[in-house]
Amino acid sequence: MKENTTKRLTAKQRQKAQPVATVMSDIELARLGGGQVAYIKTLSSDEALQMFPAIEDLPRGINLYALHAADGTPIALTDTRQAALSHAMDGELEIASVH
């Protein structure tokens, strides 16, 4: 008869066996989407002016929506979320949820 050699791990051993999260560099994170992942960020008009200093005559006190590539590069600035989504679809970009 064969001896049962199955060994149960203790909680401490299981904890050590858990995979460790890898920290990604900004470059690795940007390459993750392969140029096909983007996110939408809500900005106040003041934040938009800081990010896009070339914009003139932007009304104050409104919310805007910026479409960004995975690496944070701004792609489009719009006044509606739907317009930002349309830009993403036109560019065949997948929108990632960012928290």
Side-chain angles (χ1 to χ4, degrees):
M1 189 168 179
K2 219 175 193 185
E3 185 179 322
N4 186 354
T5 58
T6 302
K7 187 177 177 182
R8 292 184 182 252
L9 297 176
T10 66
K12 195 171 195 175
Q13 289 170 323
R14 282 192 305 269
Q15 185 179 13
K16 285 183 180 179
Q18 295 297 318
V20 176
T22 304
V23 176
M24 297 179 76
S25 71
D26 290 342
I27 293 171
E28 292 169 322
L29 183 61
R31 290 182 184 154
L32 183 65
Q36 296 186 4
V37 177
Y39 63 93
I40 296 172
K41 182 176 180 180
T42 305
L43 302 172
S44 69
S45 54
D46 290 335
E47 291 170 321
L49 284 171
Q50 288 177 354
M51 188 175 288
F52 304 96
I55 296 175
E56 295 178 10
D57 302 324
L58 185 65
R60 301 283 181 167
I62 62 169
N63 284 331
L64 298 165
Y65 300 86
L67 178 66
H68 292 266
D71 67 355
T73 303
I75 298 171
L77 182 66
T78 70
D79 60 347
T80 67
R81 182 170 175 77
Q82 186 59 43
L85 288 169
S86 292
H87 280 288
M89 289 189 324
D90 289 347
E92 298 181 359
L93 299 170
E94 182 178 331
I95 299 297
S97 178
V98 181
H99 301 285

